[in-house]
Amino acid sequence: MPAPYFSSQRQLAAALLLGALSASCAYGARVYDQNGVSVDLFGKVQASYVDEYTYRDLSGSDSPEDSIYSSMRLGLGLRSNIAEGLDGIAMVEWDTSRKENSSGDNEGSLDHTRYMFVGFDAYQYGTLIAGRGDGAYYTVVGATDIFNIMESKASDYFLIGEQRPAQIMYALHGLSWDLKLSYQFDSSHAGQGYIPVDVHQAYGASVSTKFGENITLAYGLDYTKFDFDGSLSDIATAESFFVPSFIADGYSAQEAQAKARNQHVGAKVDYGAALSYGVYGTGLYGALVVGATKYDYIAHHLYTIDTALSYTFTDYIAGLTLSAGYGMKSYDGELLVSDLTLGLSYNFNAALKVFAEAQFDLKGNAEYFYGKEMVQDLNYNQDKFALGAEFNF
């Protein structure tokens, strides 16, 4: 959602998409500014003491016990004036995440690209970019993205991945309205390695508007069509992905296995609305996201509710932020995900902060829809914690 302050690198990316990256950002340093060309450097270094499940969320690999997980992000934002009212823009951000890497211990290597796009900022006529970035529907589901490490498992939008490759993205801002459109071409990257589908095409749209100074309402949808080759070598993977949801629809195990082996194509639609108050990091902030997901090969919708509430003190204990959130997902009356997340952070200054976060599973039953193997891969229904420090630049 649009915000005048950028409390995370993802908000920084959204700002660039809207053509607003400048030296006034909370983080980032302008390292070059001559002849109409500017280059901004930004990033963060983070180290956290985490449990084995949080470690898996962060790295995509297992840890037998509590451990220290360290990470780094490094990004560049570029802008070049072409003509009056028209700039060329680009952004790239790498991090040390191993979530989408093939294998191996790559911690410390900036080998994962989160954002990489180039395009044009025509100011009042909008911003058009191409490359890897957030889909338009993130405007809705991102309203509750306020925690340093803990991630909501509510929205099924994130099952196909967070930042999407091979996209064209357009954003237009005016008169307290924001419009975003995105289109994704064919891609073999659909979520993480245990998701046995390739994206054939996807498109998203969102619109948001402000009521007064503090209330923002957003609505959007995301459509994804994917392929599954169904080859004999992938039968086991297909069954782990499709069979549990078919059984949830009333098929016998044998019928579900046969149906899974013939499931070559599919599509899903995510849609929902977000209502938020304030700006995260400046006083009181609250957000409610209500959404639904429909796969064309299952009988019912997945319904989700995700909430976030935070307060950042500005006087006696300036820099202290208290946060809480609740996320739930259900299918045909069965509660799959029910997570309570609590957080506390303290900013010593604009760059350095410490934080503590915990997520509690309130008896969700994700196995009902996803199956035991997929629940383990997705890391659902687990209690988690993190204690960490972060330096932003």
Side-chain angles (χ1 to χ4, degrees):
M1 287 193 175
Y5 303 100
F6 310 118
S7 58
S8 71
Q9 305 302 336
R10 172 164 258 168
Q11 289 173 309
L12 190 66
L16 183 54
L17 177 59
L18 290 170
L21 183 64
S22 70
S24 63
C25 292
Y27 307 123
R30 181 144 296 178
V31 296
Y32 182 87
D33 191 356
Q34 293 185 25
N35 302 319
V37 178
S38 61
V39 179
D40 294 301
L41 176 70
F42 61 91
K44 72 176 183 181
V45 179
Q46 187 181 88
S48 306
Y49 175 65
V50 299
D51 67 280
E52 57 183 295
Y53 302 110
T54 304
Y55 188 94
R56 183 177 179 84
D57 273 341
L58 293 170
S59 69
S61 60
D62 293 325
S63 174
E65 55 188 15
D66 301 349
S67 182
I68 296 291
Y69 184 81
S70 57
S71 63
M72 177 181 179
R73 291 180 185 172
L74 180 65
L76 291 172
L78 304 96
R79 179 178 292 271
S80 176
N81 180 250
I82 300 172
E84 183 69 25
L86 180 64
D87 289 351
I89 57 174
M91 176 179 165
V92 59
E93 185 187 45
W94 305 274
D95 76 357
T96 58
S97 167
R98 288 176 283 163
K99 287 184 178 181
E100 298 181 28
N101 295 334
S102 56
S103 62
D105 187 355
N106 299 314
E107 186 173 352
S109 301
L110 289 168
D111 56 355
H112 170 58
T113 302
R114 298 182 73 241
Y115 295 94
M116 182 178 288
F117 55 76
V118 64
F120 301 95
D121 181 7
Y123 294 87
Q124 70 266 32
Y125 299 106
T127 302
L128 180 67
I129 59 176
R132 183 182 182 91
D134 293 318
Y137 190 60
Y138 182 76
T139 297
V140 177
V141 294
T144 54
D145 189 4
I146 66 171
F147 295 96
N148 295 279
I149 284 183
M150 297 300 164
E151 300 175 341
S152 172
K153 301 291 187 179
S155 177
D156 229 51
Y157 168 78
F158 295 112
L159 191 69
I160 307 298
E162 297 186 52
Q163 295 82 32
R164 310 290 176 87
Q167 285 195 115
I168 293 178
M169 297 157 278
Y170 176 75
L172 178 66
H173 174 73
L175 300 176
S176 297
W177 288 84
D178 282 303
L179 169 69
K180 292 182 182 178
L181 304 171
S182 60
Y183 178 84
Q184 183 179 355
F185 294 88
D186 288 6
S187 172
S188 60
H189 304 291
Q192 301 175 29
Y194 44 77
I195 306 297
V197 298
D198 296 338
V199 173
H200 178 62
Q201 64 180 4
Y203 57 82
S206 67
V207 60
S208 64
T209 186
K210 293 187 72 67
F211 298 91
E213 295 184 358
N214 292 312
I215 299 176
T216 302
L217 176 65
Y219 178 81
L221 62 85
D222 186 82
Y223 171 86
T224 304
K225 183 177 181 180
F226 46 80
D227 294 328
F228 175 75
D229 62 19
S231 61
L232 291 177
S233 62
D234 291 332
I235 284 178
T237 306
E239 290 181 354
S240 68
F241 186 73
F242 292 110
V243 166
S245 58
F246 294 152
I247 292 176
D249 281 342
Y251 290 92
S252 68
Q254 184 177 1
E255 291 171 333
Q257 288 174 349
K259 186 173 175 62
R261 296 184 184 193
N262 293 307
Q263 188 65 44
H264 295 279
V265 296
K268 76 183 185 88
V269 179
D270 299 280
Y271 57 92
L275 181 67
S276 66
Y277 176 89
V279 175
Y280 175 71
T282 57
L284 179 64
Y285 176 79
L288 168 67
V289 177
V290 179
T293 300
K294 180 63 172 72
Y295 290 84
D296 61 9
Y297 52 82
I298 59 175
H300 307 284
H301 284 72
L302 289 159
Y303 291 105
T304 63
I305 296 175
D306 204 13
T307 64
L309 182 66
S310 74
Y311 188 82
T312 301
F313 293 86
T314 58
D315 41 26
Y316 300 107
I317 42 179
L320 178 67
T321 299
L322 305 177
S323 303
Y326 174 75
M328 62 82 66
K329 178 191 299 186
S330 66
Y331 182 75
D332 194 23
E334 185 72 22
L335 191 61
L336 308 180
V337 173
S338 180
D339 289 334
L340 173 66
T341 307
L342 302 175
L344 180 152
S345 66
Y346 181 76
N347 286 70
F348 292 97
N349 50 44
L352 181 63
K353 70 177 174 181
V354 293
F355 59 87
E357 295 178 351
Q359 190 170 83
F360 303 97
D361 169 44
L362 304 182
K363 304 304 180 182
N365 181 24
E367 285 189 22
Y368 177 82
F369 181 81
Y370 295 104
K372 184 175 181 180
E373 185 176 341
M374 280 294 294
V375 166
Q376 182 177 2
D377 288 337
L378 294 168
N379 215 17
Y380 282 177
N381 303 150
Q382 302 290 349
D383 293 337
K384 305 169 186 177
F385 74 84
L387 302 171
E390 179 179 296
F391 186 89
N392 292 271
F393 59 91

